[in-house]
Amino acid sequence: MTTESHTPVLALTTLSEDERLFRDSVYQFADREIRPHVREMDEHAKISRDLIDKLFELGVMGIEIPESYGGGGASFFHSVLAVEALSRVDPSIGVLVDVQNTLVINALLRWGSEDVKRRYLPKMAASMVGAYALSEAGSGSDAFAMATRASQHGDDWSITGRKLWITNGNEADLFITFANVNPDAGYRGITAFLVERGMPGFTVGKKEDKLGIRASSTCELLFEECRVPRANVLGDVGKGYKVAIETLNEGRIGIGAQMVGLAQGALDHTIAYIKERRQFGKAIAEFQAVQHQVARAATDIEAARLLVYNAARLRDAGQPFLAEAAMCKLFASEVAERVTSLAVNLYGGYGFVKDYPVEKLYRDAKIGQIYEGTSNLQLETIAKQIVG
Ligand SMILES: Cc1cc2nc3c(=O)[nH]c(=O)nc-3n(C[C@H](O)[C@H](O)[C@H](O)COP(=O)(O)OP(=O)(O)OC[C@H]3O[C@@H](n4cnc5c(N)ncnc54)[C@H](O)[C@@H]3O)c2cc1C
């Protein structure tokens, strides 16, 4: 066997110099600027505008936006690295950045006309937060059964309906909103609209009081004959279902990254704690049973990270990634629940109280199995790919 004919294949976790510097700078920022405020943001269920401005300055609010529009000109994989690094410190900040990049900007880049890109991308890279409004009270998993309607009035569209559970609802100025323009055509009537805060007939309603990721706002949106200019249709009329599905297929890789970061954060805290906590005259980290539990958690996280990185790299390479994306979100969200539960156990009583960080991460982990497609829906997607 000759060695010359073999091109070495890099490990999935081997980062380029640029990726490593980016990931490290985001983590250092999170450690310095976010960590001191995590508990207070959770208690007050709020992210300060000051912190959001710093995220823009850091360059994580327009990662894939081309440099010509003022963005970072980086890859989807960079977005995944940023979401993971931020979620290791606070998954609420992780999801703010995730929705901005992997859903809103991703959809604008893919489906936006040149006019839409020119009008919105520079703002999105500089100061504008985005939200992605698909779900409603009666349509979650069955998202295409939405009741929100749009009809044409001269040069405008008029949207009437209610959206529920919309992440970034409080902070966003741009809302990608899905409405059906022709219910008789079923899902083929669904159309994506770019709704700006302040457009007549649009209001942000109640903010949910949640179990976890409390600092991330989750809001109801109300549309009462909301007037949207024709130029604010994203993609084609009647093709919003494609915008919705294809963006979410990619977006859920970001949720996988959020869950990997969250689990890693919980493990980081736990390893530091078990080395300090002493029982029976020694550090609890010296008990083999504890070491094995931590070893299993680290193995779980590594496996989840490989699934997430593989799905993201497939997406960037333009290769099929549908099953891989569903697998990474399914698995990473289960890992996050397992690892944070173990973290609470290993902290003992201290794991159950808010003075220590793992109680919050345990609450935060639960959302991974619900949004951007529940675990049952991920299993459906995977099964369709492998069973047919
Ligand atoms: C914190 C938070 C943030 C969110 N952010 C956003 C956002 O930014 N934008 C947005 O549009 N939405 C958002 N959502 C909504 C989220 O995507 C939905 O909650 C989710 O898709 C589930 O829909 P549902 O709540 O209506 O549950 P349902 O669809 O009613 O599901 C209830 C249960 O039934 C199961 N089920 C349903 N259908 C099937 C089936 N065919 N086979 C097997 N089991 C099934 C589900 O797995 C689940 O366990 C958010 C939700 C939360 C809680």
Side-chain angles (χ1 to χ4, degrees), residues 267 289-301 342:
L267 187 64
V290 171
Q291 288 185 5
H292 285 190
Q293 285 176 303
V294 170
R296 193 173 290 281
T299 307
D300 258 353
I301 295 171
L342 173 69

Side-chain angles (χ1 to χ4, degrees), residues 132-135 139-141 164-167 210 213 218 367 370-374 376-377:
Y132 189 85
L134 178 66
S135 304
S139 58
S141 300
L164 205 61
W165 316 117
I166 307 309
T167 299
K210 307 195 299 290
I213 56 163
T218 309
I367 192 58
I370 299 172
Y371 59 15
E372 296 203 28
T374 64
N376 276 358
L377 271 286

Side-chain angles (χ1 to χ4, degrees), residues 333-354:
S333 59
E334 289 176 355
V335 165
E337 190 178 46
R338 274 204 295 278
V339 172
T340 54
S341 176
L342 173 69
V344 170
N345 290 349
L346 288 179
Y347 267 73
Y350 300 98
F352 206 65
V353 295
K354 291 182 190 292

Side-chain angles (χ1 to χ4, degrees), residues 9-15 19 77 305-307 309-311 313:
V9 176
L10 294 179
L12 279 172
T13 47
T14 301
L15 304 184
E19 289 166 345
F77 188 69
R305 184 177 288 119
L306 291 173
L307 284 176
Y309 285 14
N310 189 48
R313 290 201 194 275

Side-chain angles (χ1 to χ4, degrees), residues 35 38-39 89 108 118 121 139 194 209 216 247 274 340-341 346-347 384:
R35 200 181 293 287
V38 171
R39 183 163 176 201
V89 175
L108 291 173
R118 225 175 323 107
L121 291 179
S139 58
L194 297 171
D209 188 4
S216 161
T247 311
I274 62 176
T340 54
S341 176
L346 288 179
Y347 267 73
K384 262 190 208 130

Side-chain angles (χ1 to χ4, degrees), residues 124-239:
M124 296 294 296
S127 62
M128 189 182 238
V129 175
Y132 189 85
L134 178 66
S135 304
E136 299 182 3
S139 58
S141 300
D142 188 12
F144 293 168
M146 68 184 66
T148 300
R149 301 285 178 254
S151 55
Q152 217 160 359
H153 287 261
D155 260 1
D156 291 351
W157 287 90
S158 169
I159 304 179
T160 295
R162 275 175 55 203
K163 295 288 173 184
L164 205 61
W165 316 117
I166 307 309
T167 299
N168 296 351
N170 252 4
E171 299 79 15
D173 281 313
L174 183 67
F175 298 78
I176 298 184
T177 303
F178 295 87
N180 199 320
V181 303
N182 180 11
D184 291 342
Y187 71 88
R188 289 202 165 83
I190 295 171
T191 304
F193 296 91
L194 297 171
V195 178
E196 285 191 46
R197 188 184 288 270
M199 281 181 171
F202 171 58
T203 40
V204 175
K206 171 175 166 263
K207 181 164 87 85
E208 303 296 338
D209 188 4
K210 307 195 299 290
L211 170 75
I213 56 163
R214 290 178 53 78
S216 161
S217 68
T218 309
C219 301
E220 182 185 26
L221 308 179
L222 304 157
F223 302 85
E224 287 169 47
E225 299 186 1
C226 166
R227 285 296 179 112
V228 180
R230 194 171 52 180
N232 277 26
V233 170
L234 180 65
D236 294 330
V237 173
K239 292 281 170 56

